[in-house]
Amino acid sequence: MVLVLYTHTDMEDVWPMFFGQFQKYNSNSTKIYVAVNKQTPSLPDNCIPILYDDSIPYTDRWKQILPEIKEEVFMFLHEDM
């Protein structure tokens, strides 16, 4: 399974709970791309960060993010969902 999570460093305080619960109920072999506004040491080591430009519109951010995802099928989660 491949997961793409869209988030922002403003949400770093909930990442330990999110990633902890995700890893508790999912295989360690799950590939996790994290679309995030800037590099941060708060992401777990098994995540693949994809940086987006926070100053451009949301739809244009996806034009930056999608080419970085190599798989055609993935599960998408928005951090506020």
Side-chain angles (χ1 to χ4, degrees):
M1 181 171 73
V2 176
L3 172 69
V4 175
L5 172 69
Y6 180 91
T7 190
H8 193 278
T9 53
D10 288 348
M11 300 303 296
E12 280 181 280
D13 59 332
V14 299
W15 291 352
M17 183 203 56
F18 172 82
F19 288 110
Q21 290 297 301
F22 185 83
Q23 290 174 343
K24 180 177 178 180
Y25 295 105
N26 289 281
S27 166
N28 286 337
S29 64
T30 299
K31 190 173 190 177
I32 304 172
Y33 291 100
V34 179
V36 65
N37 60 307
K38 63 183 176 183
Q39 195 70 259
T40 174
S42 299
L43 289 174
D45 292 337
N46 65 331
C47 292
I48 303 164
I50 300 174
L51 302 182
Y52 62 79
D53 182 350
D54 203 18
S55 68
I56 63 176
Y58 179 78
T59 52
D60 291 333
R61 294 174 196 175
W62 279 102
K63 291 177 185 176
Q64 292 178 330
I65 296 166
L66 287 174
E68 301 298 317
I69 301 167
K70 305 305 177 204
E71 295 77 11
E72 288 188 30
V73 178
F74 53 84
M75 179 171 58
F76 170 67
L77 295 176
H78 218 275
E79 45 79 15
D80 60 348
M81 301 299 226

